Amino acid sequence: MSELIYNSDIKRITTFNVSANAACIAYYDTLDELKLLLADRSLPRPIKHLGEGSNMLFTKDFPGTILISRIDSHEIIDIREDGSVLVKASAGVIMDNLCRDLALKNIWGLENLSGIPGTVGASVIQNVGAYGVEAGDLIVQAEAVEIDSAETVTFSHEMIDFGYRHSIFKTEEMRDRFIITAVVFKLSSKPKPRTNYANLQSLVGNNPSAIEMRNAVISIRDNKLPSPAIVGSAGSFFKNPIISQQHFDKIKALFPNEKVPHFIIGDDEIKLPAAWLIDKAGCKSMTQGGASLWYSQPLVIVNISGNATSHDIIELEHRIIKCVKSQFNITLYPEVEHI
Ligand code: EPU
C-alpha cells in the first residue's frame, strides 16, 4: 500500500546528509498505486521522483511531493541462441543489487557498474558509467509513465539518446515529465570481461568470473571513493569536461614532464578527468563550512562533518569552478542535480 509522509526531512531519502523539508514523501508498491498517486490532485505539487537520492542536492525546501518506488523485482525475459540474455528490472531496484544477482548467475554486462549507488531507473536518466561501461550500452528499452497523463510510454534505446552522463530525460523538454518504471538490459551468458580500465586486469588475471570482476571493481572503488553509508556525498559532483585537441595541447604544454590523463572520445573531443584538473589547480584542500573534497578523489564533494548545508556545498562548487576556469580556461559542470 502506498505510504504518505508529510513535512519530512529530505536527509532520510538522499545521500548528501543535508537537511531540507519536503512537503510530502510518497512511497508506492505497485504501478497502479503510482498511477493513483499521479491522479490525486490533493497531493502537493510539483511531483519529483527519486531513486536512492544519491545524485541530488536539494538547495532549499521542496514544496511538492517526492515519489519513491518500493517495487523490487527483476526477471530474465529471454535467452537467445547467440548467448544474449534480456533482463527486465523494475526501476526501483537498487542497481548494485541487480549487478550482484546477475554476476552470481554469471550473466555478464553489469559487473563493472558494481558499487554505483542509485536505482535502475536513475541509471537510465543519468546513463551511469564506470570502468569502461555505461548503462546505456546495455539498455535496449525503458518503460515510463507520463506524470501529467499517467499514460505508459515505451522508449527504445535510440529514443533515449544516451551520451556521457546524458539521456533524453535530462533535456529541458523532458526533465521531470516521465517516471521510469522498468528497464530492459541486453546482457550475455558468454564471458565478456572488460578489464582494460585502471588496474582491473592485474586484479582479476585471466578468465575471471563475473563475480570476480565485480569484487575487483568494488575493491578499486572502496580504495578511492567514500562509503555512502559513512560519509555524505553524491558521488562524482562534476562531470569530466570535454575539450578540443587545440585546448588539450595548451594544457599539455603546461605540464611538459607529466603524462596528462585523458580519453579521446571523438573527432576533436578529449575528455579530461575533472579530479586531475581540480588537483592541479590546487583546490583539493578547499573547504567551505562543513563541505570539503574527498582526499583520494577530489571529484567528490563530501559532507564529512555531517553538518554541511546546501549553501556550503554550492559555495564550494562555485569556488572550484572559478579556480579551474582561471587556471585552465575549462568550465566544470555539476553532474549532481540541483533541486
Ligand atoms: N586524480 C588526480 N588527483 C587525485 C585523484 C585522481 O589527479 O587526487 C586523477 C587520477 O590520476 C585519474 C583521474 O584523476 O587520472 C581520476 O580518474 P578515475 O578513474 O578515478 O575516474 P574519474 O574520471 O574521476 C569517472 C566517473 C566515476 C567512475 C570512474 C571509474 C565521472 C564524472 N565519474 O571518474 O563515476 O566511478 O570514472 O570509471 O565520469 C560517479 O559518477 O559518481 C562516479 C563515481
Side-chain angles (χ1 to χ4, degrees):
M1 239 198 20
S2 51
E3 181 188 354
L4 271 61
I5 305 169
Y6 287 92
N7 287 315
S8 182
D9 194 339
I10 272 160
K11 222 176 188 178
R12 55 200 289 267
I13 52 163
T14 50
T15 58
F16 237 134
N17 205 17
V18 169
S19 276
N21 183 70
C24 181
I25 299 173
Y27 296 90
Y28 60 90
D29 297 302
T30 65
L31 282 187
D32 285 343
E33 283 176 15
L34 168 63
K35 291 186 177 181
L36 283 174
L37 287 168
L38 293 178
D40 182 350
R41 294 288 146 187
S42 72
L43 280 186
R45 304 273 158 161
I47 298 275
K48 175 81 196 164
H49 200 284
L50 240 59
E52 267 198 306
S54 54
N55 199 45
M56 301 281 160
L57 178 64
F58 282 86
T59 57
K60 53 186 175 200
D61 290 345
F62 184 69
T65 300
I66 294 176
L67 293 178
I68 299 180
S69 169
R70 286 196 297 218
I71 309 173
D72 182 15
S73 65
H74 74 267
E75 57 175 335
I76 293 172
I77 54 171
D78 197 10
I79 300 178
R80 296 181 180 159
E81 267 179 25
D82 64 359
S84 54
V85 179
L86 294 188
V87 173
K88 183 172 179 176
S90 300
V93 169
I94 301 297
M95 188 68 179
D96 186 52
N97 291 349
L98 184 67
C99 297
R100 180 200 58 212
D101 291 354
L102 294 171
L104 283 168
K105 289 182 187 147
N106 253 312
I107 295 176
W108 291 81
L110 296 179
E111 59 287 343
N112 286 28
L113 303 182
S114 293
I116 295 186
T119 56
V120 164
S123 78
V124 181
I125 296 171
Q126 184 63 9
N127 190 15
V128 297
Y131 306 106
V133 176
E134 285 185 345
D137 303 339
L138 304 158
I139 291 169
V140 287
Q141 185 176 300
E143 289 168 15
V145 169
E146 191 178 24
I147 291 181
D148 280 350
S149 65
E151 270 176 32
T152 305
V153 185
T154 299
F155 290 86
S156 66
H157 172 91
E158 288 71 24
M159 286 161 81
I160 301 172
D161 192 27
F162 289 110
Y164 169 60
R165 293 295 193 275
H166 179 81
S167 73
I168 192 173
F169 302 109
K170 291 184 88 172
T171 59
E172 208 55 53
E173 199 206 331
M174 300 288 273
R175 187 186 293 269
D176 294 327
R177 237 183 88 189
F178 290 92
I179 292 168
I180 308 291
T181 53
V183 179
V184 179
F185 295 93
K186 188 177 177 194
L187 306 170
S188 176
S189 59
K190 294 185 184 158
K192 288 195 173 169
R194 300 277 299 260
T195 57
N196 49 352
Y197 195 99
N199 51 341
L200 273 172
Q201 181 68 62
S202 63
L203 284 176
V204 294
N206 293 326
N207 306 318
S209 65
I211 205 75
E212 282 166 347
M213 284 298 298
R214 168 178 167 79
N215 291 341
V217 165
I218 288 177
S219 77
I220 297 178
R221 290 184 73 93
D222 285 351
N223 279 331
K224 257 196 216 171
L225 296 166
S227 160
I230 302 168
V231 180
S233 87
S236 298
F237 194 92
F238 298 100
K239 291 188 203 174
N240 286 332
I242 294 164
I243 60 172
S244 68
Q245 179 69 47
Q246 197 188 15
H247 197 163
F248 180 58
D249 291 341
K250 283 188 188 156
I251 307 255
K252 265 199 313 195
L254 297 172
F255 300 93
N257 304 319
E258 265 185 62
K259 202 165 177 282
V260 177
H262 65 283
F263 306 91
I264 298 166
I265 57 162
D267 278 351
D268 204 27
E269 284 188 321
I270 295 176
K271 190 157 85 176
L272 293 186
W276 185 86
L277 292 165
I278 292 168
D279 191 353
K280 293 295 171 195
C283 359
K284 208 170 151 173
S285 57
M286 271 184 185
T287 60
Q288 180 76 40
S292 52
L293 299 177
W294 188 243
Y295 61 94
S296 56
Q297 176 45 298
L299 187 57
V300 181
I301 294 186
V302 287
N303 177 6
I304 204 159
S305 62
N307 58 19
T309 61
S310 56
H311 182 258
D312 293 339
I313 293 166
I314 292 166
E315 273 296 304
L316 184 58
E317 168 191 351
H318 290 163
R319 284 173 55 206
I320 291 165
I321 291 173
K322 206 169 151 194
C323 176
V324 169
K325 175 83 182 168
S326 72
Q327 306 244 357
F328 300 117
N329 195 24
I330 293 178
T331 305
L332 294 183
Y333 292 97
E335 185 197 4
V336 169
E337 186 177 349
H338 294 46
I339 302 168

